[in-house]
Amino acid sequence: MSFKTMLAVIGVSQTDRDLQVATDISDQVSAHLSALIVGFAPQPTGRYATLAPAWLEQRERNLQALGETAKTVRDKLSKRGISFDVDSIYAEVAGATYDIGERALYSDLILMGPGAFENADLKQQIITGGLFQSGRPVLLIPPGSIPTLKPKTVLLAWDSRAQSAHAAREALQLMSNAKFVHLAMVDPTATPRQSGDEPGADVAAYLARHGIDVTVDALPSAGRTVAQVLQRHANDVAADMIVMGAYGHSRLRELVFGGVTRSMLNEARLPVLMAR
């Protein structure tokens, strides 16, 4: 699909670099940018801490800083001459998940910039609000990576699950415009119910009908995790972006045992477009 509205979720203390990344990406595809600035309440340290004068004073300072940051963001965006809107939320007990999910309903893509990527709490709330509450894709942009919505080479991680199919659908236009698309499967198994007699052939045919020229890469894990294999192969083929389905297993299972999604959220080095 085409991306006409971007939702950039930006922590109040990571504004500059995440805003720059979001502005550049939106400008690249002439999309409207919705900037959502998130501030967090100070963590209470006791049963009645939220009634203490010091906590209330800190809260007021945080709210003032949030308002000033939102104004600064508006001023900066107005100078770029792009279509935009700016909103802010102050996350307290319930966190920002609901607000992120609600706003994501009216966007095509959620941007998680390098600052948000390094903020574990904000990262988790973006993923929960975006992928689970609104069902919108999220573009992870790790520090040091170069994000683009006009990639020359895309690596599509495929495991024959609905999540990876949704990711492929969300990235159809990206892959259609790319020069190279690698359909990467780790330790694929030929089974009639899941992958068919020739793993990857069905989805490659589906993508070909959209005018996408696909190279099918069956990759052995050789003792490495799936995330490690995918990231190494992405580097080998000089991919600009990884596209993958998120949480093929339950979040509880990934929390306890780990998984590809969890590893990518912690260790990604390239931009990753996740969908569920």
Side-chain angles (χ1 to χ4, degrees):
M1 66 175 294
S2 59
F3 301 117
K4 298 298 184 182
T5 303
M6 310 284 182
L7 175 64
V9 183
I10 302 172
V12 70
S13 60
Q14 296 97 16
T15 305
D16 290 343
R17 58 177 173 166
D18 284 10
L19 180 64
Q20 184 64 53
V21 167
T23 305
D24 290 345
I25 292 177
S26 299
D27 196 28
Q28 187 181 67
V29 294
S30 300
H32 178 86
L33 175 61
S34 291
L36 180 61
I37 315 302
V38 181
F40 288 97
Q43 293 297 313
T45 56
R47 185 174 181 180
Y48 301 107
T50 55
L51 301 178
W55 188 91
L56 293 172
E57 290 172 4
Q58 183 61 55
R59 181 180 186 275
E60 288 303 312
R61 286 194 293 271
N62 290 352
L63 285 169
Q64 182 178 355
L66 180 61
E68 292 172 352
T69 300
K71 181 181 183 304
T72 299
V73 169
R74 290 189 187 94
D75 292 342
K76 288 183 177 180
L77 290 177
S78 64
K79 294 176 181 177
R80 287 292 298 259
I82 65 173
S83 176
F84 75 92
D85 66 84
V86 178
D87 199 358
S88 61
I89 57 173
Y90 189 64
E92 297 189 279
V93 177
T97 297
Y98 175 82
D99 297 274
I100 293 171
E102 184 179 56
R103 286 160 175 78
L105 290 173
Y106 312 104
S107 65
D108 299 311
L109 181 65
I110 303 168
L111 302 178
M112 180 194 296
F117 186 89
E118 293 180 316
N119 185 325
D121 190 18
L122 181 57
K123 179 195 295 187
Q124 189 57 52
Q125 295 192 45
I126 293 173
I127 291 297
T128 303
L131 294 182
F132 287 90
Q133 187 170 320
S134 71
R136 293 298 189 266
V138 177
L139 180 61
L140 281 64
I141 306 167
S145 65
I146 303 174
T148 178
L149 290 181
K150 295 183 178 181
K152 293 181 180 179
T153 303
V154 175
L155 185 147
L156 171 62
W158 185 256
D159 62 2
S160 299
R161 288 191 172 96
Q163 291 81 1
S164 55
H166 293 164
R169 185 183 62 195
E170 294 287 358
L172 278 176
Q173 184 170 344
L174 292 178
M175 293 189 291
S176 296
N177 295 330
K179 188 174 182 180
F180 304 104
V181 175
H182 290 264
L183 178 71
M185 301 174 294
V186 181
D187 296 332
T189 303
T191 58
R193 182 176 295 274
Q194 186 172 16
S195 300
D197 295 331
E198 187 179 348
D202 289 344
V203 65
Y206 164 76
L207 295 176
R209 296 185 196 107
H210 286 274
I212 301 170
D213 187 13
V214 180
T215 300
V216 178
D217 299 328
L219 309 171
S221 59
R224 296 167 294 171
T225 67
V226 173
Q228 289 171 340
V229 174
L230 292 174
Q231 294 208 71
R232 177 173 294 185
H233 192 60
N235 183 66
D236 290 342
V237 300
D240 303 298
M241 174 187 296
I242 296 173
V243 174
M244 62 174 284
Y247 292 106
H249 300 294
S250 72
R251 280 190 292 174
L252 177 59
R253 176 173 172 176
E254 292 230 359
L255 179 63
V256 176
F257 298 106
V260 182
T261 307
R262 182 179 174 188
S263 295
M264 284 295 189
L265 285 171
N266 293 330
E267 304 166 9
R269 296 184 294 275
L270 287 176
V272 180
L273 191 148
M274 284 187 175
R276 184 177 187 277

